[in-house]
């Protein structure tokens, strides 16, 4: 899977308009808040590796809003240690790398991790 295709698929998964529910919009309007987005489904790669990738005003991402587009995202709970993510780990290097989040991870790093694991599952 090419870098461009992986990037497009990741950006599509993060797309705010696909992550809004009618209930969230109504609640947000009622209280003058920015609508909250539903969770992005866990990313599963062709080799079985998986991780959570999230972006919204409640996540470690940039911009830190619920509109995007995001150039840094929050990665969480990878199924195995990924060296490329370690500089972004919350906590220290003694932390279990599969039981924590990684903040402000550049989109390019996430794309490369997905490519390194064979791309998205078909």
């Amino acid at each position: 899977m090419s870098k461009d295709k992986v990037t497009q698929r990741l950006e599509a998964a993060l797309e705010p308009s696909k992550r809004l529910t009618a209930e969230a919009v109504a609640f947000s309007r009622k209280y003058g808040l920015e609508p909250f987005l539903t969770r992005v489904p866990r990313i599963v790669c062709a080799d079985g590796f998986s991780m959570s990738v999230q972006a919204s005003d409640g996540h470690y991402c940039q911009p830190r809003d619920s509109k995007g587009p995001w150039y840094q995202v929050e990665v969480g709970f990878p199924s195995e240690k990924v060296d490329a993510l370690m500089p972004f780990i919350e906590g220290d290097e003694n932390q279990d790398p599969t039981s924590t989040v990684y903040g402000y991870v550049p989109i390019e790093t996430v794309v490369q991790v997905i490519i390194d694991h064979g791309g998205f599952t078909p």
Side-chain angles (χ1 to χ4, degrees):
M1 189 171 272
S2 75
K3 182 177 181 179
D4 287 342
K5 286 186 179 184
V6 170
T7 301
Q8 289 172 355
R9 188 157 169 194
L10 179 60
E11 289 174 350
L14 293 167
E15 173 58 42
S17 63
K18 295 179 183 177
R19 298 169 48 210
L20 285 173
T21 64
E23 296 83 12
V25 171
F27 178 87
S28 300
R29 284 186 182 150
K30 181 176 180 179
Y31 294 101
L33 303 171
E34 188 171 343
F36 60 90
L37 303 177
T38 60
R39 237 179 12 89
V40 175
R42 192 163 178 84
I43 304 264
V44 180
C45 296
D47 69 355
F49 171 80
S50 65
M51 64 183 163
S52 172
V53 178
Q54 304 297 324
S56 76
D57 64 348
H59 293 98
Y60 299 129
C61 61
Q62 286 296 329
R64 195 157 187 188
D65 63 25
S66 292
K67 298 174 186 166
W70 297 278
Y71 56 91
Q72 295 176 333
V73 294
E74 179 180 304
V75 174
F77 311 98
S79 58
E80 63 186 58
K81 180 181 179 183
V82 176
D83 290 336
L85 296 176
M86 293 307 291
F88 308 98
I89 194 168
E90 183 175 77
D92 60 40
E93 293 194 9
N94 295 322
Q95 177 84 26
D96 176 357
T98 64
S99 298
T100 191
V101 297
Y102 301 78
Y104 305 101
V105 180
I107 286 281
E108 296 82 11
T109 301
V110 176
V111 167
Q112 190 59 54
V113 169
I114 294 167
I115 290 169
D116 290 347
H117 287 277
F120 287 94
T121 53

